[in-house]
Amino acid sequence: MVKHIYKRFAVPLWLLSIAMLLQSCVVSQYRVIETQWSESTSEYNESDRQDRAAQVSFWCWSDQGRLRIAVENPTDSVLFIDLHQCALMGEDRFFFYSSDTVDFPVYFSVTEPCNSSEWAKLPLVQETCERYLPIAPGKLVVFSKFHLQSALDQSLSGLEFYGESTLYGALNSPAKGAHRLVFQIGKHGQSQTLEHVFFVSARRKWIYKDPHKVYLPENRQYNYYLRSTTLHPAGTFVMLALISFSIHLGTRN
């Protein structure tokens, strides 16, 4: 009797086991894309020291490489960031901070420059769709809207499963971009523009562990990662072995 029941349900059980094994073997894989500014923040600000009306800092990680910009106003007047002209640029594409709708506002927070060592962790709890973002004298404003991934070509992912890490320099980088900041001193002051260039400096091989658990915070500030799903090699081997065994049991008699 038991043997008869087994023969009747052997195929359905076999199919069910395949479905369960497939699901258990599907894992996430990650490829970290590392970027690098062409100049460090200190070099960048030093080169504009004579005409500088704003101290600019850069940070770009946090959830797929979210770009965060910190701007300090060292003058005695209110500094206005012109969000209609600020942009994240990549591969001949412009991603402006401000738009005509309220669907994608700019998120920002204000802090004291003395707390600038912690500004990268500052929660961005305010939002604006206005053109100008004011910065009072002696204040530091952190604002964000885009991810690096939005500005860089998706072909960087190279969705192939295999492949070793590849390092690049500023001259042979497969993708480059820039951040443009436009501001003025006073509401009717003359506009000033600062552009800071970055490039992809490495494309790491695929890994199965979440990059947040691999990279220390100080080593992931200029990175973002690509995520896809695949069958784990070890799990695939076990799955094929079990499927073969199930087929053997189902057809033995």
Side-chain angles (χ1 to χ4, degrees):
M1 183 67 178
V2 174
K3 189 174 182 180
H4 174 72
I5 294 175
Y6 175 79
K7 284 185 176 182
R8 183 176 179 181
F9 292 100
V11 173
L13 289 174
W14 170 62
L15 292 175
L16 179 62
S17 65
I18 291 177
M20 294 178 63
L21 285 169
L22 282 172
Q23 184 177 6
S24 64
C25 293
V26 173
V27 295
S28 295
Q29 62 174 352
Y30 307 87
R31 165 161 273 176
V32 174
I33 306 296
E34 299 178 5
T35 66
Q36 181 177 319
W37 296 104
S38 295
E39 297 175 291
S40 67
T41 301
S42 59
E43 293 172 334
Y44 181 70
N45 286 313
E46 183 67 28
S47 63
D48 295 293
R49 182 174 293 276
Q50 293 181 350
D51 302 321
R52 187 183 61 202
Q55 174 81 25
V56 183
S57 301
F58 298 92
W59 181 271
C60 46
W61 174 265
S62 177
D63 301 329
Q64 296 287 312
R66 179 172 288 280
L67 183 65
R68 304 184 78 178
I69 303 297
V71 182
E72 179 185 343
N73 181 6
T75 72
D76 296 328
S77 303
V78 177
L79 185 149
F80 292 89
I81 301 176
D82 188 348
L83 295 173
H84 279 195
Q85 298 189 62
C86 293
L88 177 63
M89 298 171 283
E91 303 187 352
D92 301 323
R93 292 180 294 171
F94 287 77
F95 302 87
F96 289 98
Y97 275 85
S98 189
S99 65
D100 296 331
T101 70
V102 296
D103 296 332
F104 303 101
V106 177
Y107 291 90
F108 69 97
S109 289
V110 181
T111 185
E112 298 290 338
C114 60
N115 297 324
S116 59
S117 61
E118 298 295 321
W119 70 265
K121 303 177 183 178
L122 189 71
L124 305 183
V125 295
Q126 304 178 59
E127 62 182 64
T128 183
C129 294
E130 301 294 328
R131 173 169 182 173
Y132 294 100
L133 177 60
I135 307 177
K139 293 291 186 178
L140 181 76
V141 168
V142 182
F143 65 99
S144 175
K145 184 172 183 178
F146 302 111
H147 293 79
L148 282 177
Q149 188 171 349
S150 64
L152 299 177
D153 194 339
Q154 287 299 300
S155 65
L156 279 174
S157 65
L159 292 176
E160 73 278 3
F161 180 81
Y162 300 99
E164 295 300 318
S165 299
T166 306
L167 304 180
Y168 305 99
L171 297 180
N172 69 338
S173 176
K176 299 180 182 180
H179 181 266
R180 183 175 72 186
L181 177 71
V182 179
F183 63 94
Q184 58 192 49
I185 303 298
K187 194 62 179 284
H188 303 289
Q190 183 177 2
S191 294
Q192 302 181 46
T193 302
L194 296 176
E195 287 191 0
H196 201 192
V197 178
F198 63 89
F199 61 92
V200 170
S201 57
R203 184 178 64 181
R204 298 299 179 181
K205 64 182 180 180
W206 289 101
I207 57 176
Y208 296 112
K209 195 171 184 179
D210 189 325
H212 283 88
K213 299 178 181 179
V214 177
Y215 285 74
L216 296 174
E218 61 270 22
N219 295 331
R220 66 188 186 215
Q221 59 183 345
Y222 302 121
N223 307 339
Y224 70 94
Y225 62 84
L226 302 156
R227 179 180 177 274
S228 68
T229 55
T230 185
L231 295 177
H232 195 286
T236 303
F237 175 80
V238 173
M239 180 187 68
L240 292 175
L242 291 175
I243 289 175
S244 299
F245 182 67
S246 298
I247 294 174
H248 173 71
L249 289 178
T251 61
R252 183 175 56 181
N253 297 317

